[in-house]
Amino acid sequence: MYQQIQAWFLREARDLPWRGNCSAWGILVSEIMLQQTPVVRVQPVWEQWLQRWPTPADFATAPAAEVLRAWGRLGYPRRALRLHAAAQQIVEQHGGAVPDTTEELLALPGVGSYTAAAVAAFAFGRRTTVVDTNIRRVHARLVIGQALPAPALTAAEMTLATELLPQDTEESVLWNAAVMELGALVCTARSPKCDVCPVLDKCAWIAAGQPEPTYIPKGQPWAGTDRQVRGAVMAVLRAASTPVHADLLWNTSAEQAQTGPIAELAPQLGKLHELNTHAPQLERALAGLVADGLAQLSEAGYHLPA
């Protein structure tokens, strides 16, 4: 099983820029960006990011507003501010070098157990138990015989992942990457490509007759949610070169914004107003953005943090 999956990975793995000859900083940035965000959206932003801020020290001094603009439409922009805080901590406490142990990585803002284990493994070659959604799904099917893993990570899953991890350090890093890639490309959630799976003959799920999931995964809603409104407001603020008066967010139509000092915001304001957001929801969105440090309110209006 190990040799088959690893050989498949070495043959079929995607050529991603944060693999191979990549700095620990580049790998940390990729892991933060890839949280709940697909590779196809992350890669161009990651490449621009590393060109602009190739080290934690470069990034640590960047204005928060520029950080949020560079984050663009990746979603969950609080990740950008946490990464900014992590870079500052790396400079202050680690001399500008990304720490190389799971414990030190966990102490960084925005770094959880998965991210710490992944960076320790993929940036520093440590033997750590890396468990993401893709790995959980491969383990559930290949070893346990279930269509999907439990809705939330369990202690039993972590125990299984630790037991499956090769003892050899170099092989353990390869195994983590290979199983993750197998889940991303072949053993997918909705349409697994079992006909090209390198371990089809060893899959407990196939042997069990491919039983149906015991639950229906719930995707995160978007249309009509506070998240959608927050995203539309953030798009306006990222495009603005000066504070945006609250009246523009509430009332000005895209057509009225075609002329004058707010012409630059016409596309973003138009998309915000097309949502026909009710007043309480927009108020919640604005208050939440300010509370999360993603926006500030001054006498002149709303703007990105300085």
Side-chain angles (χ1 to χ4, degrees):
M1 178 177 73
Y2 288 90
Q3 291 181 346
Q4 289 167 294
I5 292 178
Q6 292 168 354
W8 170 87
F9 176 75
L10 294 173
R11 184 177 65 252
E12 302 292 343
R14 292 168 291 181
D15 182 18
L16 300 177
W18 44 84
R19 288 178 175 160
N21 187 23
C22 181
S23 67
W25 169 243
I27 291 173
L28 174 60
V29 172
S30 75
E31 291 295 344
I32 297 295
M33 289 184 173
L34 286 165
Q35 294 169 2
Q36 305 182 70
T37 310
V39 167
V40 67
R41 290 177 57 196
V42 166
Q43 185 168 340
V45 178
W46 181 91
E47 290 173 342
Q48 294 169 7
W49 197 279
L50 267 293
Q51 288 177 356
R52 186 172 184 179
W53 298 304
T55 69
D58 295 319
F59 184 53
T61 58
E66 291 307 306
V67 169
L68 292 171
R69 287 193 175 95
W71 191 258
R73 299 180 60 192
L74 285 184
Y76 302 98
R78 277 179 290 181
R79 291 181 294 168
L81 296 185
R82 291 182 185 131
L83 181 59
H84 196 217
Q88 293 171 339
Q89 187 167 314
I90 289 170
V91 171
E92 294 169 1
Q93 299 183 12
H94 302 283
V98 176
D100 61 358
T101 68
T102 300
E103 293 73 19
E104 290 175 315
L105 288 163
L106 278 171
L108 298 176
V111 175
S113 57
Y114 162 76
T115 302
V119 173
F122 303 139
F124 300 107
R126 299 284 190 263
R127 183 181 181 275
T128 61
T129 303
V130 180
V131 181
D132 76 338
T133 301
N134 290 314
I135 290 177
R136 294 179 63 215
R137 188 168 55 254
V138 172
H139 289 173
R141 290 178 180 159
L142 180 61
V143 181
I144 302 173
Q146 297 176 345
L148 294 173
L153 180 63
T154 66
E157 287 180 278
M158 287 300 301
T159 298
L160 174 61
T162 301
E163 291 173 349
L164 291 173
L165 193 67
Q167 289 299 317
D168 179 78
T169 298
E170 185 175 349
E171 188 178 357
S172 74
V173 175
L174 178 59
W175 170 255
N176 281 326
V179 177
M180 189 182 300
E181 190 79 338
L182 185 67
L185 299 184
V186 175
C187 197
T188 57
R190 295 183 180 179
S191 303
K193 303 176 180 66
C194 298
D195 57 326
V196 297
C197 178
V199 286
L200 178 64
D201 60 331
K202 296 178 173 61
C203 181
W205 183 54
I206 293 294
Q210 295 177 285
E212 294 294 323
T214 57
Y215 67 96
I216 299 176
K218 294 182 179 179
Q220 291 186 328
W222 173 252
T225 63
D226 286 6
R227 281 185 56 228
Q228 185 184 30
V229 177
R230 283 166 60 105
V233 172
M234 284 297 295
V236 173
L237 300 185
R238 286 197 304 271
S241 56
T242 58
V244 180
H245 196 279
D247 287 348
L248 296 179
L249 300 174
W250 288 102
N251 302 316
T252 301
S253 68
E255 291 77 14
Q256 291 173 314
Q258 294 296 331
T259 60
I262 59 173
E264 63 180 358
L265 304 181
Q268 293 78 16
L269 285 171
K271 291 180 179 179
L272 173 62
H273 300 144
E274 286 173 4
L275 299 179
N276 293 319
T277 305
H278 296 300
Q281 187 176 36
L282 183 54
E283 289 174 353
R284 281 199 310 274
L286 291 169
L289 291 173
V290 172
D292 291 340
L294 296 170
Q296 293 179 346
L297 175 61
S298 64
E299 293 184 0
Y302 288 93
H303 54 88
L304 295 177

